[in-house]
Amino acid sequence: MSTEPVTSRVAEVTRNTRETRITVRINLDGTGQSKLHTGIGFFDHMLDQIARHGLIDLDIHCDGDLHIDGHHTVEDVGITLGLAIAKAVGDKAGLTRYGHSYVPLDEALSRVVIDLSGRPGLHMDCKFTAGSIGAFDTQLTFEFFQGFANAALATVHIDNLKGHNAHHQAETMFKAFGRALRMATTLDPRSAGVIPSTKGSL
């Protein structure tokens, strides 16, 4: 059990491959400010939803091989963000650990549930009504969240419960993800310094 007070929950991660060069900086106790540059406008818009609704200060810069397509950029940003979250929460002492949220946008409604469990897994159900939103391939939504779950060692359930507009479908999922992540990473004053698991580690 950790009894050290949490003084800073910030992290910076750089991940460079032959396909992408990414730097992510986060502050879990921020105000939702963001600086985003991935080269995919709609993806930046979705990352901004995570920052604003998660109250996470988020700075992401990615130079990716967009001359091929957006796959590597979106997936690798998910991985790098997951690594940054894992670094910022440390041993997870005092965390709420679980987070959930329902978010509507007009006709669309999505539910996201997160467990910072140490066991990576994504279970996602969304039947997008369009193949692309601007320059963003909607199939890459799964790849982003898969990369995040694997790198953050988190169990993530995402369900788009209804929706006819693909933009609304995506936006409700990203907003709900931000709010669920905010809940899961919030420090529980009743459990200060305690690992939220009967195993004693996560």
Side-chain angles (χ1 to χ4, degrees):
M1 181 177 72
S2 172
T3 57
E4 293 297 315
V6 176
T7 57
S8 176
R9 300 202 302 160
V10 300
E12 179 174 335
V13 174
T14 297
R15 186 178 186 272
N16 294 325
T17 72
R18 292 181 180 178
E19 298 165 340
T20 58
R21 293 170 300 284
I22 303 171
T23 298
V24 171
R25 300 179 185 89
I26 63 168
N27 178 2
L28 292 180
D29 301 308
T31 59
Q33 302 300 307
S34 65
K35 297 179 182 178
L36 306 165
H37 176 77
T38 66
I40 305 173
F42 184 77
F43 186 39
D44 285 350
H45 180 46
M46 293 300 97
L47 294 171
D48 189 39
Q49 304 307 320
I50 295 174
R52 290 180 182 273
H53 295 279
L55 290 182
I56 298 169
D57 290 345
L58 190 56
D59 186 342
I60 297 178
H61 187 93
C62 175
D63 291 316
D65 54 0
L66 295 180
H67 62 285
I68 297 175
D69 68 8
H71 191 287
H72 300 138
T73 291
V74 174
E75 180 180 27
D76 290 3
V77 167
I79 292 169
T80 312
L81 178 61
L83 292 171
I85 291 290
K87 184 176 180 180
V89 298
D91 65 3
K92 304 174 188 174
L95 284 189
T96 300
R97 174 179 166 176
Y98 301 99
H100 59 86
S101 180
Y102 284 81
V103 169
L105 176 56
D106 296 342
E107 87 299 343
L109 174 66
S110 291
R111 175 185 61 214
V112 174
V113 183
I114 295 175
D115 177 10
L116 298 177
S117 59
R119 298 183 301 278
L122 172 66
H123 306 274
M124 179 175 164
D125 184 11
C126 177
K127 297 174 178 62
F128 276 109
T129 59
S132 63
I133 308 167
F136 182 78
D137 180 347
T138 53
Q139 294 183 90
L140 298 183
T141 307
F142 180 91
E143 303 303 328
F144 170 80
F145 288 119
Q146 180 77 80
F148 174 88
N150 287 341
L153 301 179
T155 302
V156 182
H157 287 255
I158 300 175
D159 293 283
N160 174 237
L161 302 174
K162 58 181 68 176
H164 302 298
N165 181 292
H167 186 133
H168 293 171
Q169 289 177 291
E171 189 162 332
T172 54
M173 287 188 291
F174 276 87
K175 284 179 175 177
F177 177 79
R179 292 193 65 85
L181 187 61
R182 172 182 169 186
M183 182 185 292
T185 58
T186 294
L187 294 172
D188 184 348
R190 296 179 61 196
S191 188
V194 178
I195 304 293
S197 171
T198 54
K199 296 190 297 293
S201 66
L202 285 170

